[in-house]
Amino acid sequence: MTPNDCIFCRIAAGEIPARILARTDSALAFHDLNPQAPHHVLVIPVPHISGAAAVGSETEVWAPLMSLATEVARQLGLDEKGYRLVLNQGQDGGQSGGHLHVHLLGGRRMSWPPG
Ligand code: AMP
Ligand code: ZN
């Protein structure tokens, strides 16, 4: 998949509309189109990376992604009651989007184990 075919790359480039919440040089947070909780935000790295398994030794990807996710959670007022960060990798993980993303879910009590 090239950035041209990738919906999340196109969102990062401003070519597809999204409800953007926060942006840094290396990461972007926007509302999920099909929310699974009162707050459902996707946090992506700006460069195209297909998923967690593709990160390998480029560990510098993680810090901006996780810091933006926790920062947005704070801005949404979720710190006190809590929230869940989810990263689906590959078929068994339930990944459908081909660009690495972390789900931030909050505003309701989550169950465990996940489905
Ligand atoms: P995953 O199943 O972990 O790969 O999650 C992909 C997520 O991307 C799903 O929750 C979709 O609802 C969401 N999604 C797909 N297209 C868009 C879009 N154009 N804008 C916002 N969220 C999207
Ligand atoms: Zn992409």
Side-chain angles (χ1 to χ4, degrees), residues 1-3 5-10 45-49 98-100:
M1 183 180 286
T2 67
D5 311 319
C6 173
I7 289 173
F8 292 174
C9 280
R10 298 192 68 195
V46 170
H48 182 80
I49 301 171
H99 182 129
L100 175 62

Side-chain angles (χ1 to χ4, degrees), residues 23-63:
R23 183 196 293 273
T24 67
D25 286 347
S26 43
L28 180 71
F30 53 94
H31 290 280
D32 196 292
L33 208 53
N34 182 23
Q36 302 301 313
H39 296 287
H40 188 172
V41 175
L42 297 179
V43 186
I44 66 166
V46 170
H48 182 80
I49 301 171
S50 59
V55 173
S57 61
E58 293 143 28
T59 54
E60 65 278 2
V61 169
W62 296 117

Side-chain angles (χ1 to χ4, degrees), residues 46-82:
V46 170
H48 182 80
I49 301 171
S50 59
V55 173
S57 61
E58 293 143 28
T59 54
E60 65 278 2
V61 169
W62 296 117
L65 208 57
M66 299 311 275
S67 340
L68 189 60
T70 52
E71 179 56 33
V72 168
R74 191 167 301 121
Q75 284 171 13
L76 292 172
L78 297 175
D79 272 3
E80 190 186 338
K81 293 197 93 177

